[in-house]
């Protein structure tokens, strides 16, 4: 079997948000700045957080669990 991807040990994790069906987690991390990443539990890489958006904070899932919203600093991209 192949290697399982894991998330690096970031200095801090904040504001976890889980989808209503429990399949995905969005979390704010602090490394050299804030970022928001997503973890999908059902995938083989389910131990890894990916899809990081630099500058993102305070993630929240849409009611259907298909989209994640977050705050970004002034002048940052809207995603």
């Amino acid at each position: 079997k192949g290697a399982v991807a894991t998330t690096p040990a970031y200095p801090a994790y904040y504001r976890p948000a889980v989808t209503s069906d429990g399949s995905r987690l969005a979390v704010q991390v602090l490394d050299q700045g804030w970022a928001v990443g997503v973890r999908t539990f059902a995938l083989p890489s389910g131990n890894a957080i990916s899809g990081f958006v630099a500058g993102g904070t305070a993630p929240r899932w849409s009611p259907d669990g298909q989209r994640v919203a977050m705050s970004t600093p002034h002048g940052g991209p809207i995603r």
Side-chain angles (χ1 to χ4, degrees), residues 28-49:
Q28 177 180 331
V29 298
L30 178 60
D31 189 8
Q32 295 180 5
W34 293 112
V36 168
V38 173
R39 176 178 172 183
T40 302
F41 297 111
L43 296 177
S45 61
N47 291 334
I49 297 176

Side-chain angles (χ1 to χ4, degrees), residues 58-69:
R60 295 291 179 261
W61 287 101
S62 62
D64 65 3
Q66 298 300 307
R67 294 177 305 271
V68 64

